[in-house]
Amino acid sequence: MLRVAGARLLDDRDRGAVRAALEADPVASCMVAARVEAAGLDPWRLGGEIWASGSRLEGLCFSGANLVPLRGPRGAIRAFADRARRHGRSCSSLVGRAELVLPLWEELAPSWAPAREVRADQPLMVLSGPPRIAPDPQVRPVRPEEIDRYLPAAIAMFTEEVGVDPRAGDGGAGYRARVSELISAGRAFARFDENGEVVFKAEIGAMSARVGQIQGVWVHPARRGEGLGTLGTAAVVDRLTALGRVSSLYVNGFNAPARRTYDRIGFQQVASFATVLF
């Protein structure tokens, strides 16, 4: 194992121990657990690295397109910050439990470029079992041949939520590939109107053996206020329940309408996430 500034890089020999650690916090670690279950710890296959601190993996952090601290005391957070500084910033965000992300950003902020936005309060919500309300029967998985009808809604959602156009830089090739991957996996859902336009969309962005994380919930601006978001999200929860998964999502604390929607469906807050966007 390679030791750098108090943190070490794990490899596939550590796969069992890492999976056990992630299973201790299955909802908050869903994004990383899904990757590890599918790809192991080889950085090329994983799309990132797993760093550890402590002889018993007291600290864990994923470093890839996002930097995701998974657990650890303040000393581990400092070790991860040291390693991240040495490598330079390549991630588009820091995301995870607020009690880990915010101290990590405090360590990194003096040496990394200013953040575009810090979202310090994002309730992490969970629903075990079916939704409290009947799901929208018109919400269904998007078919691969429907990508050109689905993609504009996905771009609109991303731009509204993140504040940047996902087509920037490569003309949208990378984002289209990611959306296509979700569609092929049966994890992109939509309701189409009579003209074939998307009026509701959502995705299961990550799915581990125990948890499915819902993301990208969006309703066409002309159809907002009709309850499509509530009924549509309930349909995605219904699908995850059928797959034997707990449903989870995180939402900006300032988004009161979305929080009311998720409350009606039956979600309950179990923790707080934070996101630092670059």
Side-chain angles (χ1 to χ4, degrees), residues 142 150 187-190 200-204 214-218 232-233 236:
V142 179
Y150 181 80
R187 288 166 33 199
F189 299 84
F200 166 84
K201 69 161 288 291
E203 296 146 4
I204 302 170
I214 299 170
Q215 67 175 31
V217 177
W218 180 86
T233 305
V236 182

Side-chain angles (χ1 to χ4, degrees), residues 139-144 146 150 178-190 202-207 235-236 239-240 243:
V139 170
R140 60 170 176 79
V142 179
R143 295 187 287 267
E146 295 173 319
Y150 181 80
R178 171 59 176 158
V179 171
S180 179
E181 178 184 335
L182 289 169
I183 291 173
S184 297
R187 288 166 33 199
F189 299 84
E203 296 146 4
I204 302 170
M207 190 162 65
V236 182
R239 180 60 62 97
L240 281 168
L243 293 172

Side-chain angles (χ1 to χ4, degrees), residues 62 64-69 89-96 101 112 116-117 250 274-278:
F62 171 79
N66 304 301
L67 187 61
V68 187
R89 185 181 70 78
S90 59
C91 61
S92 62
S93 72
L94 274 64
V95 62
V101 167
W112 279 14
R116 183 166 54 83
E117 185 178 356
Y250 60 99
T275 302
V276 180
L277 295 167
F278 299 106

Side-chain angles (χ1 to χ4, degrees), residues 12 14-20 22 29-42 45-46 49-50 62 70 208:
D12 248 357
D14 306 290
R15 186 174 185 175
V18 169
R19 289 194 62 173
L22 297 176
S29 68
C30 175
M31 289 182 287
V32 177
R35 287 174 170 267
V36 171
E37 289 168 10
L41 269 63
D42 174 75
R45 295 181 61 230
L46 184 64
E49 299 178 344
I50 298 288
F62 171 79
L70 295 158
S208 70

Side-chain angles (χ1 to χ4, degrees), residues 1-275:
M1 295 181 183
L2 177 64
R3 294 182 178 273
V4 178
R8 63 186 187 277
L9 173 64
L10 301 185
D11 59 31
D12 248 357
R13 292 171 295 181
D14 306 290
R15 186 174 185 175
V18 169
R19 289 194 62 173
L22 297 176
E23 286 170 3
D25 191 13
V27 175
S29 68
C30 175
M31 289 182 287
V32 177
R35 287 174 170 267
V36 171
E37 289 168 10
L41 269 63
D42 174 75
W44 187 84
R45 295 181 61 230
L46 184 64
E49 299 178 344
I50 298 288
W51 304 341
S53 175
S55 59
R56 298 184 179 180
L57 308 189
E58 288 87 354
L60 277 178
C61 184
F62 171 79
S63 175
N66 304 301
L67 187 61
V68 187
L70 295 158
R71 69 179 193 177
R74 189 63 186 244
I77 297 301
R78 293 193 188 99
F80 297 145
D82 287 343
R83 187 179 182 98
R85 275 192 295 266
R86 286 172 179 259
H87 283 263
R89 185 181 70 78
S90 59
C91 61
S92 62
S93 72
L94 274 64
V95 62
R97 283 183 171 270
E99 66 268 26
L100 301 173
V101 167
L102 297 177
L104 181 58
W105 176 235
E106 183 181 333
E107 296 282 342
L108 288 170
S111 54
W112 279 14
R116 183 166 54 83
E117 185 178 356
V118 177
R119 299 179 179 180
D121 175 26
Q122 297 178 304
L124 177 64
M125 309 186 79
V126 172
L127 174 53
S128 300
R132 288 180 183 169
I133 61 174
D136 186 343
Q138 296 189 54
V139 170
R140 60 170 176 79
V142 179
R143 295 187 287 267
E145 64 270 20
E146 295 173 319
I147 186 169
D148 288 326
R149 286 195 283 153
Y150 181 80
L151 192 59
I155 291 169
M157 176 282 304
F158 190 98
T159 305
E160 284 183 33
E161 174 64 22
V162 181
V164 297
D165 189 326
R167 296 167 294 184
D170 65 355
Y175 189 66
R176 183 187 178 93
R178 171 59 176 158
V179 171
S180 179
E181 178 184 335
L182 289 169
I183 291 173
S184 297
R187 288 166 33 199
F189 299 84
R191 173 174 172 166
F192 295 88
D193 67 12
E194 61 277 7
N195 298 314
E197 187 173 12
V198 174
V199 294
F200 166 84
K201 69 161 288 291
E203 296 146 4
I204 302 170
M207 190 162 65
S208 70
R210 298 174 61 183
V211 180
Q213 186 175 89
I214 299 170
Q215 67 175 31
V217 177
W218 180 86
V219 175
H220 192 288
R223 300 293 299 274
R224 291 174 186 173
E226 299 179 20
L228 293 176
T230 305
L231 300 177
T233 305
V236 182
V237 171
D238 197 54
R239 180 60 62 97
L240 281 168
T241 302
L243 293 172
R245 303 304 202 278
V246 170
S247 299
S248 78
L249 53 82
Y250 60 99
V251 59
N252 291 316
F254 56 77
N255 193 341
R259 295 183 67 177
R260 287 194 295 268
T261 289
Y262 302 138
D263 287 341
R264 285 196 293 272
I265 296 168
F267 282 93
Q268 294 184 326
Q269 183 175 353
V270 294
S272 292
F273 262 28
T275 302

